[in-house]
Amino acid sequence: MDEYSRFVDWDKMDVSAQSQDTKELSCTEFQELKQLARQGYWAKNHCLRAKVYHKLISSIPCRTVTPDANVYRDIVVKIVGKRSSSSLPLPEFVDNSLVPTYCLNAEGVGAVRKIILCVANQFPDISFCPALPAVTALLLHYSKDEAECFEQVCRILACNDPSKRLIDQTFLAFESSCMTFGDLVNKYCQAAHKLMVAVSEDVLEVYSDWQRWLFGELPMAYVARVFDVFLVEGYKVLYRVALALLKFFHKVRAGQPMESDSIQQDIRAFVRDIAKSVSPERLLEKAFAIRLFSRKEIQLLQMANEKALQQKGITVKQKRQNVHLAVHAENFKSEIVSVKEMRDIWSWIPERFALCQPLLLFTTLEHGCSLSRFYSHSEGHEPTLLLIKTTAKEVCGAYLSTDWSERRRGGNKLSFFGTGECFVFRLQPEVERYEWVIIKHPELATAGAETENQNHSSPAGSTLCSGSGPPEPSERLSPFLSARHFNLPSKTASMFMAGSSECVIVGGGDGQALYLDADLNHGRTSHCNTFNNQPLCSENFQISVLEVWGFRD
């Protein structure tokens, strides 16, 4: 066996990883490394994988003073003493996480705890890092000794490149990543998300397990393949793989009864036994087939979620608010939707706003059918929720990400504004959500610069065009690019929100759009058949009740 076999129990290791073919890795270009990592170039050679890990981790930009192997040799005896390694307590910041043994032998299992304790000694600023035990255990398989493993873990933790996020080390970062994952599931795994909402009282509680699926439940052959790509491409890979796991879980378990009383336990069991359903290659193939947001957009979404948590004072671990029950029955009263229906809507909105309570801002029953009062009561609130009930008892609405006061920035022209988080939905006669067409069909978008003299006007009676409003305030944390960043084919585009003294236009997705007249008594829908969705409601309808809801801390 090779020099990196000291801590490996080869009876447990996948036979495909034991190849001793004399491969080398000479490339340094990112694109080539990315391709080789995804292909599993070093996955079937234990020694080569160890050398590649060492090379990739050594290239991570770190703090000036980062503990190395010599530091470990100096402190390990002092910290561990004569205690048995198997009885060593883990630091609180790992949050009682699983310490997976993977394919480690007895010496390796004990060494993991020693290394984690020494890491805790050198990184007093770490307050929450549940992924650390799994990362340490994985790297130990590819280390010559404990000191080398310690150094590699320290380099990952000490990364100081703001654009290269690796492992969450605070509760704020961890919790916001769970919220971000929930947002991504809501966009990319809608069938699975619908199942989570149906069987779980707290959806975010389920999604808070996403890192555990990867760093705790996944078998060794799978987590190593994920780590291969993670070291090259970064944190976004983790989101991709977790989304793929959820997609496979839904596909395999769809229509079957739950195996336990908890969907969390069912998902964990599925991930542990994933070899029965999916190979590592198929898992990664599925992960990279997801047309995920750009790294920049995900970073913005993460920042927005962190900001929301900070504003609520949630920066350390505490009992999580039951997000799914954020709509309290005793405090909620609507003439359009029930508590259950409002909770369903709440499961669709971005996680950072699901922390809030609904606040009624405007209702035609109390404030009358006045568009000016609609604006005056809605302005100053961001985001808002529009609900409409027609005289035919149809119920539809829209989640609107941007303050209605933005409409004034276009002057007298009817200009469009908002972000890609906007969507429209139907609750009656049946439930359907329509995202913005570009989110579901990104091939329709061509990023382009806004033309100075572009005409932004669009009469209420025409198809929504690709014009847009003025730039958004620079301080706004917007998870998605606003409409002005895209040149869209006018026949299929829906352009978020627009308002004037004469009408309101709300464009949702898949060609769906709502037009409301100034008297707020009449409206109509525009529907493009490109994607064969059912219309929101009748093409021409009379409004029975209209409500606007805000979000209260």
Side-chain angles (χ1 to χ4, degrees):
M1 294 300 176
D2 59 59
E3 58 187 328
Y4 299 99
S5 299
R6 174 178 170 182
F7 302 105
V8 177
D9 182 341
W10 285 101
D11 291 335
K12 298 178 183 177
M13 185 68 91
D14 181 4
V15 67
S16 66
Q18 301 181 33
S19 168
Q20 297 300 310
D21 293 346
T22 54
K23 284 184 177 179
E24 294 296 332
L25 184 72
S26 56
C27 74
T28 56
E29 293 295 324
F30 173 75
Q31 287 301 328
E32 189 177 355
L33 270 175
K34 177 179 172 180
Q35 185 177 10
L36 292 175
R38 291 189 179 190
Q39 291 173 350
Y41 180 81
W42 52 81
K44 295 184 178 181
N45 186 303
H46 187 82
C47 182
L48 178 60
R49 179 181 260 159
K51 291 178 180 178
V52 171
Y53 280 6
H54 186 271
K55 179 178 181 178
L56 293 173
I57 293 172
S58 296
S59 68
I60 294 174
C62 294
R63 306 172 191 169
T64 305
V65 180
T66 298
D68 59 14
N70 289 328
V71 170
Y72 182 82
R73 297 185 185 103
D74 290 341
I75 66 174
V76 64
V77 174
K78 177 182 177 182
I79 292 174
V80 175
K82 296 182 179 179
R83 291 178 293 177
S84 167
S85 57
S86 60
S87 64
L88 292 173
L90 292 175
E92 286 188 13
F93 66 65
V94 303
D95 193 41
N96 298 315
S97 296
L98 299 175
V99 183
T101 58
Y102 294 131
C103 301
L104 293 173
N105 56 27
E107 182 185 6
V109 172
V112 171
R113 289 178 173 268
K114 293 164 62 177
I115 294 167
I116 292 173
L117 278 182
C118 291
V119 167
N121 174 266
Q122 294 296 301
F123 288 84
D125 53 332
I126 295 179
S127 59
F128 198 80
C129 191
L132 184 61
V135 171
T136 304
L138 177 64
L139 287 173
L140 194 57
H141 291 76
Y142 303 99
S143 301
K144 295 177 181 176
D145 54 31
E146 295 172 13
E148 183 177 272
C149 180
F150 169 85
E151 179 173 327
Q152 294 193 50
V153 172
C154 288
R155 289 195 66 83
I156 290 173
L157 293 171
C159 174
N160 63 358
D161 182 350
S163 66
K164 193 178 182 68
R165 183 177 178 199
L166 293 175
I167 296 180
D168 296 330
Q169 299 174 44
T170 66
F171 182 73
L172 180 63
F174 172 82
E175 189 75 348
S176 62
S177 78
C178 296
M179 293 169 66
T180 301
F181 179 70
D183 288 327
L184 296 175
V185 174
N186 205 354
K187 290 289 182 185
Y188 295 102
C189 306
Q190 292 184 15
H193 182 66
K194 188 175 181 180
L195 173 64
M196 300 302 120
V197 172
V199 301
S200 172
E201 287 189 349
D202 187 353
V203 181
L204 185 55
E205 188 75 38
V206 177
Y207 297 152
S208 69
D209 251 10
W210 80 278
Q211 289 194 27
R212 175 174 174 151
W213 303 341
L214 304 175
F215 297 120
E217 305 293 358
L218 265 185
M220 173 69 185
Y222 292 75
V223 72
R225 287 290 289 114
V226 173
F227 207 73
D228 291 346
V229 190
F230 166 71
L231 285 178
V232 177
E233 300 187 40
Y235 203 89
K236 184 177 175 181
V237 169
L238 304 183
Y239 284 134
R240 283 188 177 280
V241 177
L243 289 171
L245 286 170
L246 202 56
K247 282 178 175 285
F248 278 122
F249 172 79
H250 179 262
K251 180 180 180 180
V252 172
R253 297 290 177 83
Q256 297 182 14
M258 290 177 58
E259 295 184 355
S260 70
D261 294 333
S262 165
I263 190 69
Q264 277 181 291
Q265 295 299 329
D266 276 14
I267 297 175
R268 290 174 185 176
F270 172 79
V271 175
R272 280 196 301 271
D273 297 331
I274 193 170
K276 297 177 181 178
S277 309
V278 184
S279 68
E281 290 71 26
R282 181 73 185 97
L283 177 63
L284 288 181
E285 181 183 325
K286 185 76 168 179
F288 290 111
I290 300 171
R291 307 188 73 161
L292 205 58
F293 302 135
S294 70
R295 182 176 285 103
K296 179 181 178 182
E297 288 170 319
I298 290 177
Q299 286 174 344
L300 287 171
L301 184 54
Q302 182 90 14
M303 289 168 60
N305 285 330
E306 284 192 9
K307 184 177 180 181
L309 289 168
Q310 286 174 323
Q311 289 173 341
K312 285 188 164 293
I314 304 174
T315 58
V316 295
K317 187 175 183 184
Q318 53 191 259
K319 183 174 176 59
R320 181 185 283 108
Q321 176 187 354
N322 196 325
V323 175
H324 185 65
L325 299 180
V327 183
H328 298 312
E330 63 273 16
N331 299 325
F332 177 76
K333 179 173 174 51
S334 167
E335 298 300 323
I336 299 177
V337 297
S338 66
V339 172
K340 180 185 181 305
E341 287 172 324
M342 196 61 150
R343 286 175 179 166
D344 287 341
I345 297 170
W346 235 242
S347 75
W348 295 334
I349 66 176
E351 292 287 359
R352 63 191 184 281
F353 296 117
L355 297 169
C356 303
Q357 293 289 316
L359 173 67
L360 183 62
L361 304 176
F362 173 86
T363 171
T364 51
L365 294 180
E366 179 180 342
H367 303 106
C369 299
S370 164
L371 189 54
S372 62
R373 283 199 288 272
F374 169 93
Y375 288 136
S376 65
H377 283 269
S378 302
E379 287 176 2
H381 296 270
E382 183 177 290
T384 54
L385 193 68
L386 175 69
L387 297 177
I388 297 170
K389 185 175 184 178
T390 73
T391 54
K393 301 191 182 303
E394 299 163 310
V395 175
C396 61
Y399 171 80
L400 305 170
S401 65
T402 307
D403 192 331
W404 275 107
S405 62
E406 286 288 305
R407 78 187 194 284
R408 296 200 192 96
R409 297 170 69 91
N412 295 323
K413 296 177 180 178
L414 186 68
S415 59
F416 292 90
F417 54 95
T419 72
E421 284 191 316
C422 293
F423 61 86
V424 293
F425 56 86
R426 182 183 66 226
L427 295 178
Q428 298 290 345
E430 57 187 34
V431 177
E432 184 71 56
R433 177 178 57 153
Y434 306 91
E435 294 182 299
W436 184 43
V437 66
I438 299 306
I439 298 299
K440 292 186 76 172
H441 300 275
E443 68 276 6
L444 293 177
T446 305
E450 186 177 15
T451 306
E452 230 10 77
N453 299 317
Q454 185 176 0
N455 182 358
H456 299 304
S457 64
S458 175
S462 68
T463 303
L464 294 176
C465 71
S466 60
S468 64
E472 297 181 47
S474 59
E475 69 273 10
R476 178 171 299 146
L477 289 174
S478 175
F480 310 111
L481 298 175
S482 62
R484 65 191 173 86
H485 292 284
F486 295 95
N487 294 322
L488 304 175
S490 61
K491 290 184 179 180
T492 58
S494 293
M495 295 298 294
F496 308 136
M497 316 161 54
S500 69
S501 59
E502 299 178 355
C503 68
V504 165
I505 303 176
V506 175
D510 287 2
Q512 299 286 353
L514 282 170
Y515 301 79
L516 305 181
D517 294 340
D519 61 6
L520 295 186
N521 278 317
H522 301 86
R524 60 192 182 83
T525 59
S526 170
H527 176 242
C528 167
N529 292 318
T530 306
F531 304 111
N532 299 316
N533 280 317
Q534 296 298 314
L536 278 168
C537 57
S538 303
E539 185 175 351
N540 293 284
F541 58 87
Q542 284 190 300
I543 298 173
S544 172
V545 188
L546 182 149
E547 295 175 349
V548 179
W549 292 80
F551 294 76
R552 181 182 65 221
D553 290 339

